[in-house]
Amino acid sequence: MNHFVNGFQEKGQKENPKDGLTVMHLMEREDTNPVEDKKEKNDQNIQHVDQHLDNVKQKEKVRPGVKQNNMKLLQLLREAKESFEEFATKRLAGAEKIADTTQEAGGLSLLTYKHYKVKLPYYKKAVAGKLDKEAAKKEFEETYKKISLDMTQNEFQIEMGRLEVLGELLIREE
């Protein structure tokens, strides 16, 4: 026996034919109302026409590596415009800052301090336009041959700093 109450179907009493007794089963409710609440339209759900125009335009495809190559080219052009003295001035300022900072820090940073401190006179010569290219090449080769695993950490950092600054300046000068 089914009863309908406000859109719900109730399953209720059943008679047991054997005993003639009435048995009560648990009541279950089923939603038989087929009407669903319709969602209201929201302005955020409505897309405007001008948003679709972006999809129509095709973006220019850039091949892999082209952007990097362009960046390298721009860097080369900047370096070409920059004089050797300007280059040395910027490197000197950076080396002075690192030398000062690492000297103040002390401890293991003193190895870095020694590495950069040795660079300062070479940059100063280059800024003043007094770097002898041939003498610098000779010193570079001598320094290169001196570097070994038998050196102390301090000696190694000093000679590597010298090798680095001479190499930088010679490469930039050519």
Side-chain angles (χ1 to χ4, degrees):
M1 168 185 276
N2 291 330
H3 300 282
F4 295 96
V5 178
N6 291 337
F8 288 97
Q9 181 179 16
E10 292 185 1
K11 295 181 182 176
Q13 299 176 347
K14 288 187 177 180
E15 292 185 20
N16 192 344
K18 292 181 184 176
D19 300 337
L21 298 173
T22 303
V23 177
M24 293 287 296
H25 294 282
L26 292 175
M27 301 287 279
E28 295 179 26
R29 289 187 173 197
E30 294 178 20
D31 187 4
T32 58
N33 189 354
V35 178
E36 293 182 17
D37 293 335
K38 291 186 178 182
K39 294 181 182 177
E40 291 183 31
K41 289 188 178 181
N42 187 345
D43 287 339
Q44 293 177 349
N45 294 338
I46 300 170
Q47 293 184 354
H48 298 285
V49 175
D50 62 344
Q51 290 177 341
H52 296 288
L53 294 177
D54 290 337
N55 296 333
V56 174
K57 295 178 184 175
Q58 291 183 354
K59 295 181 180 177
E60 181 181 338
K61 293 183 180 180
V62 178
R63 291 178 288 147
V66 170
K67 187 173 183 178
Q68 288 178 335
N69 290 340
N70 288 343
M71 296 295 285
K72 288 178 185 176
L73 182 60
L74 288 173
Q75 182 63 29
L76 288 172
L77 290 171
R78 283 188 202 113
E79 287 177 7
K81 289 180 183 178
E82 181 181 64
S83 73
F84 178 72
E85 288 77 16
E86 290 172 328
F87 170 78
T89 301
K90 289 179 184 178
R91 298 299 292 163
L92 174 62
E96 285 175 334
K97 182 177 180 180
I98 293 170
D100 291 344
T101 304
T102 54
Q103 185 180 24
E104 289 174 17
L108 292 176
S109 296
L110 290 177
L111 291 172
T112 305
Y113 164 73
K114 291 179 181 187
H115 179 85
Y116 280 90
K117 184 176 184 232
V118 75
K119 294 180 173 191
L120 300 178
Y122 295 97
Y123 286 134
K124 288 177 182 176
K125 277 185 184 178
V127 168
K130 296 180 180 178
L131 183 72
D132 181 3
K133 192 174 176 181
E134 292 305 315
K137 281 183 183 180
K138 184 178 177 184
E139 190 175 357
F140 177 87
E141 292 299 328
E142 290 171 359
T143 303
Y144 180 72
K145 291 175 185 173
K146 281 180 15 181
I147 295 173
S148 74
L149 296 176
D150 296 329
M151 303 174 109
T152 66
Q153 285 287 332
N154 288 329
E155 292 169 335
F156 181 78
Q157 287 298 326
I158 290 168
E159 295 308 321
M160 287 302 294
R162 185 183 331 277
L163 185 70
E164 192 174 283
V165 70
L166 288 167
E168 259 179 23
L169 293 172
L170 289 168
I171 290 169
R172 179 59 176 87
E173 182 66 14
E174 290 181 0

